[in-house]
Amino acid sequence: MDLKLKFFNSYCSTKEFTINGKEADYTDFGDKYDQDSACAPNYGCGDMVFEPKEPTKEILKKYGITEDEYYKIADKLERGLSFGRCALCS
């Protein structure tokens, strides 16, 4: 598997994300949301998290990856997109 994955400094998204030469979308691997928006600073997040989804046959086929590779990618996305409290959007 050829994975290229870089995150923006503001953490909220991927700067570069390709799998086997194909542009990838993190939403194919999970959901990102602020799980504590009530405590968020102005223009920021209270507790940003990425929760991986279970793989589907369609996603595995779309990127030409195995289930094990899917979980490795989802783990990297979880570590890169879950960062807690942030006020970088101000």
Side-chain angles (χ1 to χ4, degrees), residues 20-31:
N20 296 327
K22 182 173 186 136
E23 284 292 319
D25 183 347
Y26 74 84
T27 63
D28 287 337
F29 295 85
D31 299 308

Side-chain angles (χ1 to χ4, degrees), residues 45-88:
C45 299
D47 188 10
M48 181 59 71
V49 296
F50 178 84
E51 287 189 355
K53 298 186 233 183
E54 291 297 313
T56 64
K57 290 179 184 178
E58 292 80 19
I59 297 301
L60 298 178
K61 184 177 178 181
K62 177 180 179 178
Y63 296 111
I65 57 175
T66 66
E67 196 170 303
D68 186 51
E69 290 170 328
Y70 176 96
Y71 285 117
K72 287 178 183 177
I73 294 166
D75 183 59
K76 288 177 188 267
L77 288 167
E78 184 175 21
R79 285 185 275 127
L81 296 174
S82 295
F83 54 85
R85 187 175 173 86
C86 176
L88 289 177

Side-chain angles (χ1 to χ4, degrees), residues 9-30:
N9 291 337
S10 63
Y11 307 121
C12 292
S13 191
T14 56
K15 183 176 186 176
E16 178 182 18
F17 187 22
T18 62
I19 302 168
N20 296 327
K22 182 173 186 136
E23 284 292 319
D25 183 347
Y26 74 84
T27 63
D28 287 337
F29 295 85

